[in-house]
Amino acid sequence: MSGLILNNVTKQFGTFTAVKDVNLTVPDGTFVCLLGPSGCGKTTLMRMIAGLDLPTKGSITLGGEDITEVPTHKRNLGMVFQSLALFPHLTVGENIAYALRIRGMPKADQQKRVDELLAMIDLAGFSDRSVNKLSGGQRQRVAIARALAISPKLFLLDEPLSALDAKLREAMQVELRQLQQQLGITTIVVTHDQREAMTMADTVVVMNGGKIRQAAAPVDIYRRPADSFVADFIGSTNLIPFSADGNGRAIILGEPVEGLALGGVNSGTISVRPEDIQITAPESGSIPGKVSFVRDLGGTVETFIEAGGQQIVAVSAPRTRPDVTVGQTVGIRLDPLTSVVLTR
Ligand code: ATP
């Protein structure tokens, strides 16, 4: 089997289980983001893929070969880890050529490869520059080029952009994704930033408590979250309890709502994205509520509504902003087709 396959991978530190029974297939040429809150086990999982830690249990195969116990330097990996900074005393070119020199590549070939990589990261002509004279974004691009110099089978990056300011970070996310697509290299990135994961990944792997909660395409994670943790962690959402009334309707915030796909469930939680909440007049068929706060962020307007003892948030574009003021009684309608019934 090609690609990277994790089979029941578990890591224990003493009695503490940091990664538990992880099963994941990363097809060749795809981009996967490991995403989750601090301490969820994503770095530990990445370290096992990199060969920096041994799993307590389970196996890892790459391109059909069991690499569970193969040392890092024999895995043919490119790595950009936060802790692996550039060598400050070497030039840009020397940094990029480092692994090539160790492997005994002739000098002329090294320079050719360095020039190729510099062109690829838009830093042609920077070979003799000291790395200390680069901006944060340029330095990060050199670190990426250095990791790619040996044409690795697998490209691993742990929080590669976290030291950059927000604007540069967003630009680099697009660059990194374009570079990965251009090279077709299988890539795994650890991040705690969901926007970053959704920008870059073919598959977002959401982790919590050492386990995979969901692995799916970004839009599926957003539109069809597997559970309330994922729904709440990815974007913002309204988690609202419901119970079935026995006639195919759900009682939500005290009102019957038609059209929700309940799937035979008697009670649980629904996730409704703020953009799927419509604010109306307090008319029949809508859920009654009272506006408690309006936040105008320029590009979007958020309206907070107290309804059925819960705070509901609705988001709209400025053009379609509801004409409401704090304290006003309104009605809420939620879109049954985009509301997701969660059973866990
Ligand atoms: P962050 O985003 O904060 O880096 P993470 O999701 O990458 O978090 P890990 O670094 O994988 O989390 O850590 C997962 C859990 O395992 C944490 O509770 C951490 O304290 C624990 N852990 C990690 N390495 C060790 C170790 N060498 N010994 C004991 N516990 C460890």
Side-chain angles (χ1 to χ4, degrees), residues 13 16-19 36-45 53 158-159 190 192:
F13 296 109
F16 176 72
T17 306
V19 170
S38 181
C40 73
K42 48 197 190 299
T43 294
T44 304
L45 186 58
D53 268 331
D158 190 348
E159 300 275 4
V190 164
H192 62 269

Tab-separated table of all heavy atoms in Angstrom, residues 13 16-19 36-45 53 158-159 190 192, ligand 1:
chain	number	residue	atom	x	y	z
A	13	PHE	N	3.319	7.839	28.191
A	13	PHE	CA	4.436	8.337	28.994
A	13	PHE	C	4.128	7.904	30.418
A	13	PHE	O	3.246	8.489	31.057
A	13	PHE	CB	4.557	9.856	28.914
A	13	PHE	CG	4.892	10.370	27.525
A	13	PHE	CD1	3.950	11.051	26.774
A	13	PHE	CD2	6.152	10.169	26.984
A	13	PHE	CE1	4.260	11.532	25.508
A	13	PHE	CE2	6.468	10.641	25.715
A	13	PHE	CZ	5.523	11.318	24.979
A	16	PHE	N	0.429	7.839	31.672
A	16	PHE	CA	-0.358	8.803	30.894
A	16	PHE	C	-0.352	8.439	29.404
A	16	PHE	O	0.702	8.196	28.818
A	16	PHE	CB	0.224	10.208	31.096
A	16	PHE	CG	-0.449	11.255	30.276
A	16	PHE	CD1	-1.734	11.682	30.590
A	16	PHE	CD2	0.186	11.813	29.168
A	16	PHE	CE1	-2.371	12.648	29.826
A	16	PHE	CE2	-0.436	12.780	28.399
A	16	PHE	CZ	-1.721	13.189	28.730
A	17	THR	N	-1.543	8.379	28.819
A	17	THR	CA	-1.640	8.058	27.390
A	17	THR	C	-1.774	9.356	26.594
A	17	THR	O	-2.801	10.031	26.664
A	17	THR	CB	-2.852	7.137	27.123
A	17	THR	OG1	-2.741	6.005	27.982
A	17	THR	CG2	-2.872	6.662	25.675
A	18	ALA	N	-0.731	9.723	25.859
A	18	ALA	CA	-0.729	10.986	25.099
A	18	ALA	C	-1.403	10.814	23.741
A	18	ALA	O	-2.025	11.753	23.228
A	18	ALA	CB	0.703	11.477	24.917
A	19	VAL	N	-1.257	9.622	23.141
A	19	VAL	CA	-1.893	9.321	21.843
A	19	VAL	C	-2.518	7.932	21.966
A	19	VAL	O	-1.871	7.002	22.439
A	19	VAL	CB	-0.861	9.349	20.698
A	19	VAL	CG1	-1.457	8.813	19.404
A	19	VAL	CG2	-0.321	10.753	20.490
A	36	GLY	N	-5.663	20.606	16.798
A	36	GLY	CA	-6.320	20.362	18.085
A	36	GLY	C	-5.779	21.301	19.130
A	36	GLY	O	-4.765	21.969	18.914
A	37	PRO	N	-6.438	21.358	20.283
A	37	PRO	CA	-5.992	22.273	21.331
A	37	PRO	C	-4.661	21.828	21.942
A	37	PRO	O	-4.235	20.689	21.730
A	37	PRO	CB	-7.118	22.200	22.369
A	37	PRO	CG	-7.787	20.894	22.128
A	37	PRO	CD	-7.618	20.575	20.675
A	38	SER	N	-4.055	22.697	22.696
A	38	SER	CA	-2.783	22.409	23.340
A	38	SER	C	-2.886	21.128	24.171
A	38	SER	O	-3.851	20.939	24.904
A	38	SER	CB	-2.420	23.608	24.233
A	38	SER	OG	-1.198	23.362	24.841
A	39	GLY	N	-1.899	20.252	24.012
A	39	GLY	CA	-1.865	19.025	24.815
A	39	GLY	C	-2.682	17.876	24.250
A	39	GLY	O	-2.794	16.825	24.875
A	40	CYS	N	-3.249	18.026	23.032
A	40	CYS	CA	-4.122	16.970	22.491
A	40	CYS	C	-3.342	15.796	21.921
A	40	CYS	O	-3.916	14.786	21.562
A	40	CYS	CB	-5.068	17.539	21.435
A	40	CYS	SG	-4.241	17.938	19.885
A	41	GLY	N	-2.013	15.955	21.793
A	41	GLY	CA	-1.194	14.832	21.331
A	41	GLY	C	-0.685	14.965	19.906
A	41	GLY	O	-0.050	14.053	19.379
A	42	LYS	N	-0.905	16.107	19.272
A	42	LYS	CA	-0.517	16.220	17.854
A	42	LYS	C	0.998	16.187	17.650
A	42	LYS	O	1.477	15.531	16.731
A	42	LYS	CB	-1.165	17.444	17.184
A	42	LYS	CG	-1.063	18.736	17.938
A	42	LYS	CD	-2.061	19.761	17.411
A	42	LYS	CE	-1.791	21.135	18.007
A	42	LYS	NZ	-1.897	21.189	19.490
A	43	THR	N	1.749	16.866	18.530
A	43	THR	CA	3.209	16.833	18.378
A	43	THR	C	3.752	15.433	18.668
A	43	THR	O	4.647	14.942	17.975
A	43	THR	CB	3.873	17.878	19.305
A	43	THR	OG1	3.476	19.166	18.848
A	43	THR	CG2	5.394	17.788	19.274
A	44	THR	N	3.181	14.781	19.659
A	44	THR	CA	3.613	13.413	19.976
A	44	THR	C	3.381	12.494	18.779
A	44	THR	O	4.242	11.688	18.409
A	44	THR	CB	2.851	12.896	21.221
A	44	THR	OG1	3.067	13.814	22.292
A	44	THR	CG2	3.309	11.518	21.631
A	45	LEU	N	2.229	12.637	18.137
A	45	LEU	CA	1.925	11.821	16.957
A	45	LEU	C	2.924	12.129	15.834
A	45	LEU	O	3.465	11.225	15.185
A	45	LEU	CB	0.489	12.099	16.494
A	45	LEU	CG	-0.031	11.216	15.370
A	45	LEU	CD1	0.018	9.743	15.762
A	45	LEU	CD2	-1.460	11.588	14.990
A	53	ASP	N	10.209	9.540	18.306
A	53	ASP	CA	9.666	8.799	19.444
A	53	ASP	C	9.153	7.465	18.923
A	53	ASP	O	8.651	7.394	17.803
A	53	ASP	CB	8.466	9.552	20.047
A	53	ASP	CG	8.871	10.481	21.176
A	53	ASP	OD1	9.870	10.183	21.850
A	53	ASP	OD2	8.185	11.502	21.355
A	158	ASP	N	5.982	21.138	11.993
A	158	ASP	CA	5.307	21.321	13.282
A	158	ASP	C	5.205	22.799	13.588
A	158	ASP	O	6.225	23.453	13.825
A	158	ASP	CB	6.090	20.583	14.380
A	158	ASP	CG	5.305	20.528	15.690
A	158	ASP	OD1	4.281	21.231	15.816
A	158	ASP	OD2	5.716	19.780	16.590
A	159	GLU	N	3.997	23.337	13.556
A	159	GLU	CA	3.741	24.764	13.800
A	159	GLU	C	4.740	25.637	13.033
A	159	GLU	O	5.396	26.494	13.629
A	159	GLU	CB	3.845	25.078	15.304
A	159	GLU	CG	2.870	24.315	16.162
A	159	GLU	CD	1.493	24.964	16.266
A	159	GLU	OE1	1.261	25.994	15.592
A	159	GLU	OE2	0.664	24.424	16.996
A	190	VAL	N	1.439	20.129	11.704
A	190	VAL	CA	0.787	20.269	13.010
A	190	VAL	C	0.439	21.737	13.211
A	190	VAL	O	1.280	22.610	12.997
A	190	VAL	CB	1.743	19.840	14.149
A	190	VAL	CG1	1.248	20.345	15.500
A	190	VAL	CG2	1.900	18.334	14.183
A	192	HIS	N	-2.356	24.513	15.674
A	192	HIS	CA	-3.517	24.635	16.570
A	192	HIS	C	-4.480	25.685	16.017
A	192	HIS	O	-5.452	26.042	16.646
A	192	HIS	CB	-3.069	24.995	17.990
A	192	HIS	CG	-2.372	26.303	18.062
A	192	HIS	ND1	-1.010	26.440	17.930
A	192	HIS	CD2	-2.861	27.544	18.189
A	192	HIS	CE1	-0.706	27.711	17.974
A	192	HIS	NE2	-1.805	28.413	18.147
B	1	ATP	P1	0.868	21.877	21.979
B	1	ATP	O1	-0.035	22.477	20.939
B	1	ATP	O2	0.771	22.572	23.297
B	1	ATP	O3	2.266	21.653	21.505
B	1	ATP	P2	0.275	19.054	21.502
B	1	ATP	O4	-1.082	18.729	21.043
B	1	ATP	O5	1.350	19.060	20.491
B	1	ATP	O6	0.249	20.418	22.310
B	1	ATP	P3	1.837	17.043	22.829
B	1	ATP	O7	3.104	17.816	22.883
B	1	ATP	O8	1.744	15.938	21.864
B	1	ATP	O9	0.599	18.016	22.652
B	1	ATP	O10	1.552	16.474	24.291
B	1	ATP	C1	0.438	15.636	24.567
B	1	ATP	C2	0.443	15.306	26.049
B	1	ATP	O11	1.550	14.450	26.337
B	1	ATP	C3	0.593	16.526	26.945
B	1	ATP	O12	-0.233	16.346	28.070
B	1	ATP	C4	2.058	16.492	27.340
B	1	ATP	O13	2.236	17.065	28.612
B	1	ATP	C5	2.360	15.011	27.353
B	1	ATP	N1	3.770	14.743	26.996
B	1	ATP	C6	4.387	15.065	25.842
B	1	ATP	N2	5.672	14.659	25.846
B	1	ATP	C7	5.868	14.057	27.064
B	1	ATP	C8	6.999	13.423	27.687
B	1	ATP	N3	8.166	13.307	27.060
B	1	ATP	N4	6.804	12.937	28.920
B	1	ATP	C9	5.611	13.014	29.551
B	1	ATP	N5	4.524	13.601	29.028
B	1	ATP	C10	4.647	14.112	27.795
